[in-house]
Amino acid sequence: MTSQDPNRVLIFDTTLRDGEQSPGISLNTGEKLEIAQQLARLGVDVIEAGFPITSPGDFEAVQAIARNVDGPIIAGLARTHVADIDAAYEAVKDAERPRIHTFISTSDIHIEHQLQTTREDVKGQARAAVAHARQHVEDVEFSPMDATRADVEFTAEVCAIAVAEGATTINIPDTVGYTMPHEFTAYLERLYELVPGLREVTLSVHCHDDLGLAVANSFAGVLAGARQVECAVNGIGERAGNASLEEIAMLLHTRAPDVGLHTGIVTTEIARTSRLVSRLTGYAVQPNKAVVGRNAFAHESGIHQDGVLKERTTYEIMDARTVGLEGNDIVLGKHSGRHALKQALEELGFEVDGNALNQAFKRFKEIADRKKQVTAMDLEALVTDEMREDLDAFTFAWFDVEASSRRPPHATVGVRMPDGEERSGSFTGDGPVDAVFHAINAATGVDAKLREFRVDAVTSGRDALGEVSVVLELGGRPAAGQGVSTDIIEAAGRAYVRALSNARRRARLEAREEPVAATP
Ligand code: KIV
Ligand code: ZN
């Protein structure tokens, strides 16, 4: 492999590409940029910023990331088509270190049914694509898609071609999450035997979680010699998702004495990255999720609590501070001024100035009036919530709810439309939140149906900020959104309106897009 330190495992983050392909997720350019900046702080080696040919929005986001995010390699995905590779190049070319990632399937199932071509043609396409990409950039990654269900001999031939044409990374995807760790190890060992040039490039693995084995398979890949792991924050991605970045990073960190490998991940940034991705995608993190779930460091049974109180390591293999879940003690009160807020935000890594600072200060004051202490977690939730205001989206402007135990609740809401006009709507519903959601439908003139609703507290305490996640369905498509406020109804309204904006953005993108066949 090419990396100098043989024990260093590169972390290739695909949250913004494979992760963004999860149903219901639709991030705008500003949100993608915010996540990419945080991924850079987290210390990932490669950010796969998107699939530029798929839509002008994807292209623009990849280009913005390439131009503004320093540190990691910025990769753009491309099929083997010339137009895809050229679009990926145009989008990433301004990065300090651009990469083109091109792929084609090597499994017969995909070759016959999806690509409707032959093995010979696949070899030709791989050869031409890598050669073309190498004319643009030095750093080219090639993936034989659905490799683990493909004939290993044929996949080896294709990989050998890619290496001969100058690919610098060969990535082996378990596209449908089908393989098992011992099988994957054997597969990679066989590839090493069949493709001698594989030792001269970086071997990478990209595993999906359909059978819950994405992290185990990625780890098997690393033990077999891979030195790049493709993964996504909170494990988001197509279907059951990708290998979860935080689990891979903490596995290699925690078991380093035994495994002897390391990554460049700044582990104390893990929890924050997870929260940011969850808020911006609207995908809540399950409470028992390894490393970043709310209960990942909670001890319920008396015996466990007793043990941890006596000695933390009796029941904890990691320290919550190592992943940034504790130890952040910035606290502001209702008398804190704009300067203190700006400074606190800077400590958290947010550069907020001008109008954005005024807006954040206004929200901070509203919250500080209702809450005794505003903590780092509150600030982070507030700023992330505030930064999401998108000029081309609906905004939840105000609400009025009349609720009593004797009459069904009645809500009236004001929603600012993308063109700036404010419209109101009213509804009498089964509960106050139901009434607000229907009133929003009435104001915006859409007929969305609520599919999931969840309320979490940002911190502990009776005055904690509430964080609401909703998934709604519009025109047969899911869309997710999240909102934060000290008032649950307001948080719910914000979340619902965001999900509507995401659905609208997704529908508009799809109307402008050419359908991309064989999207992984
Ligand atoms: O799952 C897959 O095969 C992919 C490739 C593009 C790497 O996402
Ligand atoms: Zn994938």
Side-chain angles (χ1 to χ4, degrees):
M1 69 145 229
T2 48
S3 164
Q4 292 202 323
D5 176 352
N7 297 327
R8 170 84 143 82
V9 177
L10 303 174
I11 297 294
F12 175 115
D13 178 274
T14 187
T15 307
L16 296 173
R17 200 279 297 168
D18 213 316
E20 221 247 348
Q21 284 172 213
S22 313
I25 297 186
S26 170
L27 298 166
N28 64 31
T29 298
E31 291 163 351
K32 287 186 186 173
L33 200 49
E34 196 51 44
I35 290 177
Q37 303 279 22
Q38 179 57 27
L39 290 171
R41 281 194 283 269
L42 177 66
V44 308
D45 299 283
V46 187
I47 295 176
E48 186 165 53
F51 193 174
I53 191 79
T54 55
S55 71
D58 234 65
F59 181 93
E60 179 194 299
V62 178
Q63 190 172 57
I65 291 168
R67 290 183 175 168
N68 295 294
V69 178
D70 298 330
I73 292 170
I74 308 298
L77 185 67
R79 290 167 301 181
T80 47
H81 307 179
V82 169
D84 281 44
I85 292 168
D86 291 345
Y89 171 63
E90 286 301 320
V92 298
K93 70 178 184 199
D94 296 331
E96 276 170 3
R97 292 185 294 154
R99 173 180 294 186
I100 297 175
H101 175 192
T102 184
F103 69 96
I104 188 162
S105 296
T106 54
S107 71
D108 290 329
I109 307 181
H110 282 205
I111 296 175
E112 280 164 31
H113 301 289
Q114 188 175 22
L115 301 176
Q116 298 182 339
T117 186
T118 59
R119 286 186 174 193
E120 275 316 298
D121 182 51
V122 165
K123 287 199 272 183
Q125 287 198 43
R127 185 189 311 281
V130 175
H132 186 57
R134 274 306 306 256
Q135 286 178 345
H136 288 313
V137 291
E138 283 180 5
D139 187 351
V140 173
E141 172 168 333
F142 173 76
S143 295
M145 187 154 84
D146 204 21
T148 52
R149 290 194 302 165
D151 173 15
V152 69
E153 266 83 19
F154 176 63
T155 303
E157 275 185 67
V158 179
C159 291
I161 290 172
V163 172
E165 292 301 330
T168 41
T169 299
I170 297 290
N171 173 51
I172 305 301
D174 180 32
T175 302
V176 291
Y178 182 69
T179 200
M180 295 181 281
H182 67 285
E183 254 182 10
F184 200 37
T185 307
Y187 191 97
L188 297 176
E189 284 171 352
R190 186 78 185 118
L191 270 189
Y192 270 128
E193 282 166 14
L194 294 168
V195 189
L198 206 50
R199 300 218 176 260
E200 309 309 316
V201 300
T202 301
L203 177 66
S204 166
V205 287
H206 174 114
C207 299
H208 279 269
D209 209 30
D210 300 66
L211 292 172
L213 290 173
V215 171
N217 285 330
S218 305
F219 186 53
V222 165
L223 295 182
R227 287 295 176 269
Q228 175 178 285
V229 176
E230 303 202 353
C231 44
V233 175
N234 299 337
I236 61 174
E238 278 283 354
R239 306 178 312 279
N242 286 88
S244 129
L245 183 151
E246 55 280 3
E247 292 176 27
I248 295 282
M250 287 312 290
L251 168 61
L252 295 178
H253 179 86
T254 309
R255 301 305 304 267
D258 308 288
V259 179
L261 300 172
H262 58 97
T263 70
I265 293 296
V266 180
T267 60
T268 47
E269 290 290 328
I270 285 179
R272 230 180 109 193
T273 313
S274 161
R275 289 193 294 263
L276 180 74
V277 168
S278 169
R279 284 193 181 114
L280 296 188
T281 57
Y283 263 45
V285 173
Q286 78 197 54
N288 58 330
K289 164 86 175 61
V291 182
V292 290
R294 194 173 59 239
N295 298 342
F297 292 87
H299 301 279
E300 184 69 11
S301 92
I303 294 179
H304 287 211
Q305 287 180 354
D306 175 57
V308 169
L309 284 175
K310 289 176 176 148
E311 165 55 40
R312 188 186 60 76
T313 56
T314 49
Y315 289 94
E316 278 185 8
I317 59 162
M318 294 172 272
D319 187 332
R321 282 168 302 192
T322 313
V323 298
L325 273 170
E326 278 174 16
N328 220 337
D329 23 38
I330 298 173
V331 176
L332 297 179
K334 71 193 256 184
H335 300 298
S336 305
R338 195 181 302 260
H339 182 67
L341 175 68
K342 184 169 162 44
Q343 224 171 12
L345 291 175
E346 270 167 14
E347 271 179 56
L348 289 171
F350 295 111
E351 293 289 336
V352 184
D353 277 307
N355 219 7
L357 179 62
N358 293 344
Q359 202 51 30
F361 189 62
K362 193 166 149 243
R363 285 285 306 279
F364 162 70
K365 281 290 178 198
E366 283 164 17
I367 288 170
D369 276 347
R370 300 189 218 167
K371 231 180 154 272
K372 274 201 250 63
Q373 290 188 324
V374 180
T375 65
M377 295 263 277
D378 293 327
L379 285 180
E380 193 189 292
L382 179 153
V383 174
T384 315
D385 196 54
E386 205 46 59
M387 278 179 330
R388 306 198 53 202
E389 295 310 348
D390 177 347
L391 294 177
D392 188 31
F394 302 112
T395 311
F396 189 54
W398 53 267
F399 70 97
D400 195 358
V401 176
E402 291 160 32
S404 94
S405 56
R406 287 176 299 170
R407 275 189 311 278
H410 181 77
T412 305
V413 303
V415 178
R416 212 167 18 263
M417 304 298 283
D419 63 6
E421 183 200 350
E422 189 174 297
R423 290 202 202 151
S424 61
S426 297
F427 198 82
T428 301
D430 291 336
V433 171
D434 178 63
V436 166
F437 289 171
H438 280 94
I440 293 172
N441 279 357
T444 53
V446 299
D447 186 22
K449 308 242 173 323
L450 184 67
R451 290 289 173 244
E452 283 171 38
F453 176 75
R454 179 180 148 156
V455 184
D456 290 301
V458 172
T459 49
S460 53
R462 285 182 52 205
D463 59 358
L465 279 181
E467 182 162 20
V468 172
S469 314
V470 303
V471 178
L472 54 75
E473 194 182 303
L474 186 61
R477 291 263 189 191
Q482 251 177 352
V484 171
S485 171
T486 43
D487 184 309
I488 295 300
I489 296 182
E490 183 178 329
R494 294 176 82 94
Y496 192 83
V497 157
R498 269 197 192 121
L500 276 187
S501 302
N502 289 341
R504 176 177 177 271
R505 179 179 331 112
R506 174 67 84 183
R508 284 176 17 159
L509 281 176
E510 281 174 3
R512 277 159 68 198
E513 272 166 23
E514 276 179 60
V516 173
T519 298

